[in-house]
């Protein structure tokens, strides 16, 4: 039994109005800069807004090292069921974009069929364990993770090292989304920094190749980093999100 913390702002508009859902990245939480900025944006426009912490993150229970993509996707799906049956606009940041795409790719399994009306993906890192992490590991690091079941690596965002477990990598292979087309059946906007040291912008180009929906927009920010938290980045995010919320509302 895992306790998953989430916060929900309900719109004062009609019950069928879309709810924006924030899906954070690896080791991030729902009180980060972008998550708080979107709360203010939702309040200003009276949009519904939900944000959550995966197990082992922020205010949620559980051990971080027990976490996997499949497990965190299940938790996100459980929260989506809790907040009602209305349409959703998923905003996935970094690993959160993988969670969002996993929800769409396996919508029937996670019980979210026909609910996702639009997606905004920020510095998306789908399949990062297989495509971004493993290729960077040295032979010694690969031996360490095989022998110990975990690998500690320096973090650019925390004084504590990042932890990557063998179960995260193995489960990631069972939840790949870039192994075929991802028919989102809804508009998708991607915002990617070209100066991102963690997720190269070519990864976003690869993702676009797997998205067959006609309404896919990729915005490349030439000097943008992985955080995309500067004022100009936040402005681009909210402008893009406004368009997606309107599109999801029209579809509903």
């Amino acid at each position: 039994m895992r306790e998953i913390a989430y916060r929900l702002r309900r719109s004062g508009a009609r019950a069928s109005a879309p709810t924006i859902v924030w899906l954070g990245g690896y080791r991030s939480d729902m009180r980060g800069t972008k998550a708080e900025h979107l709360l203010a944006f939702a309040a200003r426009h009276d949009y519904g807004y939900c944000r959550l912490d995966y197990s082992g993150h922020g205010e949620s229970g559980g051990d971080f090292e027990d976490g996997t993509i499949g497990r965190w996707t299940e938790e996100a799906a459980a929260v989506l069921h809790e907040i009602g049956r209305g349409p959703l606009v998923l905003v996935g940041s970094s690993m959160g974009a993988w969670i969002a795409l996993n929800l769409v790719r396996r919508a029937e399994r996670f019980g979210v069929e026909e609910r996702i009306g639009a997606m905004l993906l920020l510095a998306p890192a789908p399949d990062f364990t297989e495509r971004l992490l493993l290729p960077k590991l040295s032979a010694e690091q690969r031996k360490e993770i095989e022998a110990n079941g975990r690998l500690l690596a320096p973090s650019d965002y925390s004084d504590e090292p990042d932890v990557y477990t063998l179960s995260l990598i193995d489960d990631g292979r069972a939840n790949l989304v870039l192994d075929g087309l991802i028919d989102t059946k809804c508009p998708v906007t991607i915002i990617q920094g070209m100066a991102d040291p963690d997720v190269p912008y070519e990864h976003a180009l690869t993702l676009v190749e797997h998205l067959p929906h006609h309404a896919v927009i990729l915005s490349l920010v030439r000097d943008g980093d992985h955080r995309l938290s500067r004022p100009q980045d936040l402005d681009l995010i909210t402008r893009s999100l406004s368009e997606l919320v309107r599109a999801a509302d029209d579809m509903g």
Side-chain angles (χ1 to χ4, degrees):
M1 184 72 175
R2 305 188 295 276
E3 293 186 356
I4 304 303
Y6 72 91
R7 296 177 182 273
L8 175 64
R9 181 195 188 277
R10 294 195 182 277
S11 170
R14 66 190 188 285
S16 61
T19 296
I20 300 165
V21 179
W22 172 257
L23 298 169
Y26 195 72
R27 292 187 66 194
S28 68
D29 60 56
M30 61 179 167
R31 293 183 177 274
T33 301
K34 293 189 291 294
E36 293 286 353
H37 179 78
L38 292 191
L39 172 62
F41 168 77
R44 191 162 60 247
H45 297 282
D46 193 25
Y47 293 146
Y49 179 56
C50 178
R51 49 186 171 152
L52 66 129
D53 283 333
Y54 316 117
S55 58
H57 291 70
E59 299 171 21
S60 289
D63 188 334
F64 176 80
E65 293 191 32
D66 290 335
T68 61
I69 299 302
R71 180 185 179 106
W72 291 329
T73 307
E74 289 173 0
E75 293 165 359
V79 170
L80 299 184
H81 289 297
E82 280 288 314
I83 67 175
R85 296 296 304 171
L88 307 167
V89 177
L90 302 184
V91 183
S93 176
S94 192
M95 183 192 75
W98 188 357
I99 301 293
L101 292 165
N102 203 26
L103 284 167
V104 169
R105 181 84 184 275
R106 299 171 172 88
E108 185 173 353
R109 180 202 301 182
F110 294 115
V112 294
E113 311 96 301
E114 301 180 358
R115 289 192 63 194
I116 301 172
M119 302 175 72
L120 176 59
L121 308 179
L122 311 175
D127 301 2
F128 80 85
T129 49
E130 201 73 13
R131 290 178 176 250
L132 302 179
L133 174 63
L134 287 177
K136 291 182 178 179
L137 297 185
S138 65
E140 292 74 16
Q141 289 174 314
R142 286 175 178 268
K143 289 178 182 177
E144 179 181 340
I145 199 168
E146 288 288 345
N148 302 326
R150 65 201 290 265
L151 172 69
L152 300 180
S155 172
D156 293 330
Y157 306 101
S158 172
D159 293 334
E160 298 181 359
D162 285 327
V163 183
Y164 300 105
T165 65
L166 187 58
S167 58
L168 175 73
I169 293 170
D170 288 343
D171 175 84
R173 292 193 179 109
N175 287 278
L176 297 175
V177 293
L178 297 179
D179 57 349
L181 293 179
I182 310 168
D183 188 2
T184 62
K185 300 182 176 66
C186 69
V188 180
T189 294
I190 300 167
I191 300 177
Q192 173 67 52
M194 295 183 72
D196 187 335
D198 301 308
V199 180
Y201 73 88
E202 291 87 354
H203 195 63
L205 297 176
T206 298
L207 172 57
V208 170
E209 294 174 357
H210 290 264
L211 297 172
H213 195 275
H214 63 91
V216 176
I217 296 173
L218 170 61
S219 293
L220 294 175
V221 182
R222 179 170 292 279
D223 60 347
D225 62 11
H226 190 63
R227 292 179 185 272
L228 291 173
S229 294
R230 302 171 303 173
Q232 62 266 41
D233 301 327
L234 297 174
D235 180 61
L236 175 59
I237 288 169
T238 49
R239 282 189 282 115
S240 300
L241 186 55
S242 292
E243 296 175 2
L244 290 170
V245 172
R246 285 196 294 271
D249 206 8
D250 291 343
M251 290 173 64

